[in-house]
């Protein structure tokens, strides 16, 4: 019978992609299948191999942005990526259209979290069964897959509508410095680097210690750690980098030698 003949042809081909023309109710069609298997991964399908980005229509017409996440705070980076995925940085922005750019993020495993969020931040989900509330810290999630932390942060900042899934598909995150968009298939793709703007540090009031002309020559800050932190925030040089012998600042009094 015809079924046995097809089985023999599949065995003879040895597990290679085969395209066959068959007569059906809707006319002649080209039906791809994997020899010897009744299933195949989506990325191995021929119509997905031809695309630049899986499940993204018209990716060749969009602008591709590459972002280096090394040393960047998680929330600050996620807020900028959500704007790019929505297309808010374009003059043609329309909230009802998916016209954002494709974003490629590298070095996601070197992202930073402020304070004690690395140990205290929790990701919770429910299995659907009684008592099935699960939780995982950011540190545990980072050890399993560091890209999930950034993806969840960006997804939470996107509008909750039907375009959310389409926009998150254009976010490609890689834990290391290398990405998959290389080779002859992506020769026509230009990865435009995106640099985050400088942080706008807003201080409620300026302190008098910045006027160094009024201070004596042997001045030493009372709390050296706080003084050095303020110098970094105001982006000025510390005029007192070395402590005087025998003098202990407020931050060093309680420390054991």
């Amino acid at each position: 019978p015809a079924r046995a003949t097809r089985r023999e042809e599949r065995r003879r081909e040895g597990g290679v992609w085969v395209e066959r023309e068959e007569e059906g109710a809707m006319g002649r069609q080209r039906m791809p299948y994997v020899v010897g298997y009744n299933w195949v991964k989506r990325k191995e399908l021929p119509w997905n191999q031809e695309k630049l980005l899986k499940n993204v229509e018209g990716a060749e017409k969009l602008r591709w942005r590459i972002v280096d996440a090394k040393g960047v705070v998680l929330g600050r980076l996620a807020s900028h990526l959500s704007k790019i995925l929505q297309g808010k940085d374009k003059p043609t922005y329309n909230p009802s259209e998916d016209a954002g750019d494709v974003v490629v993020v590298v070095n996601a495993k070197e992202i930073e979290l402020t304070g004690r969020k690395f140990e205290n931040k929790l990701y919770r989900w429910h299995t659907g069964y009684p008592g099935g509330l699960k939780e995982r810290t950011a540190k545990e999630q980072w050890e399993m897959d560091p890209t999930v932390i950034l993806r969840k942060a960006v997804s939470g900042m996107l509008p909750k509508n039907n375009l959310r899934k389409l926009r998150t598909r254009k976010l490609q995150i890689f834990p290391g410095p290398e990405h998959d968009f290389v080779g002859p298939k992506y020769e026509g793709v230009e990865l435009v680097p995106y640099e985050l703007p400088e942080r706008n540090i807003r201080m409620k009031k300026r302190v008098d210690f910045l006027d160094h002309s009024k201070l004596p020559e042997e001045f030493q800050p009372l709390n050296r750690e706080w003084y050095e932190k303020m110098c970094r925030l105001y982006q000025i040089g510390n005029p007192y980098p070395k402590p005087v012998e025998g003098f202990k600042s407020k931050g060093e009094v309680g420390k054991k030698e």
Side-chain angles (χ1 to χ4, degrees):
R3 183 175 299 179
T5 305
R6 176 182 292 185
R7 190 181 300 112
E8 281 294 323
E9 292 180 359
R10 291 182 180 179
R11 186 182 59 79
R12 260 188 264 112
E13 292 292 342
V16 186
W17 274 96
V18 177
E19 291 188 354
R20 180 185 302 279
E21 295 185 0
E22 293 187 358
E23 292 286 346
M26 301 180 64
R28 178 170 294 182
Q29 300 177 355
R30 299 184 69 86
M31 300 181 61
Y33 60 90
V34 174
V35 176
Y37 297 92
N38 57 356
W39 60 273
V40 64
K41 295 182 178 180
R42 290 185 179 181
K43 65 179 181 180
E44 297 178 358
L45 293 171
W47 51 81
N48 280 336
Q49 290 180 350
E50 298 174 358
K51 291 183 178 180
L52 296 179
L53 203 59
K54 185 181 71 172
N55 296 329
V56 176
E57 299 294 338
E60 61 277 355
K61 300 179 182 179
L62 299 175
R63 182 173 55 177
W64 290 57
R65 312 298 297 269
I66 183 169
V67 184
D68 188 1
K70 184 177 181 180
V72 186
V73 181
L74 173 63
R76 184 166 180 262
L77 177 61
S79 62
H80 285 272
L81 297 184
S82 64
K83 294 179 182 178
I84 298 175
L85 293 174
Q86 297 177 64
K88 283 190 173 183
D89 58 337
K90 300 181 179 179
T92 58
Y93 167 68
N94 187 351
S96 62
E97 295 181 359
D98 181 25
D101 299 332
V102 179
V103 180
V104 180
V105 183
V106 295
N107 292 324
K109 65 180 180 181
E110 300 185 21
I111 203 168
E112 293 185 358
L113 278 79
T114 58
R116 300 180 180 177
K117 298 185 182 70
F118 199 64
E119 294 82 11
N120 297 343
K121 184 178 177 63
L122 297 176
Y123 295 97
R124 293 189 175 96
W125 71 97
H126 204 283
T127 61
Y129 292 92
L133 181 62
K134 306 293 183 179
E135 64 180 23
R136 185 182 297 154
T137 62
K139 183 178 181 180
E140 295 173 349
Q141 182 61 65
W142 183 85
E143 293 174 352
M144 296 177 63
D145 188 1
T147 62
V148 175
I149 297 178
L150 181 58
R151 185 174 298 277
K152 285 181 176 293
V154 176
S155 178
M157 294 185 182
L158 292 174
K160 280 65 175 179
N161 51 27
N162 295 335
L163 299 177
R164 185 184 187 186
K165 184 180 293 185
L166 300 177
R167 288 166 175 167
T168 52
R169 289 174 182 171
K170 294 186 293 185
L171 177 63
Q172 303 295 318
I173 307 175
F174 300 91
E178 299 179 355
H179 55 84
D180 297 342
F181 303 106
V182 293
K185 181 179 178 180
Y186 301 96
E187 288 181 353
V189 176
E190 180 183 1
L191 293 174
V192 181
Y194 178 79
E195 297 182 0
L196 273 69
E198 296 183 0
R199 294 182 61 186
N200 184 17
I201 303 175
R202 294 174 293 179
M203 306 295 293
K204 294 183 179 180
K205 61 180 181 179
R206 295 186 70 88
V207 290
D208 297 335
F209 80 94
L210 296 178
D211 188 4
H212 306 295
S213 60
K214 299 179 182 180
L215 299 178
E217 296 181 357
E218 298 181 355
F219 169 78
Q220 289 294 320
L222 182 62
N223 191 337
R224 179 173 293 276
E225 296 180 358
W226 177 84
Y227 188 88
E228 294 176 351
K229 178 181 179 182
M230 297 299 293
C231 290
R232 289 195 300 269
L233 290 176
Y234 283 106
Q235 298 181 358
I236 63 173
N238 184 5
Y240 312 102
K242 296 181 180 179
V244 177
E245 296 181 1
F247 176 81
K248 290 187 177 181
S249 65
K250 186 178 179 180
E252 298 175 351
V253 173
K255 294 182 179 179
K256 297 182 179 179
E257 297 182 356

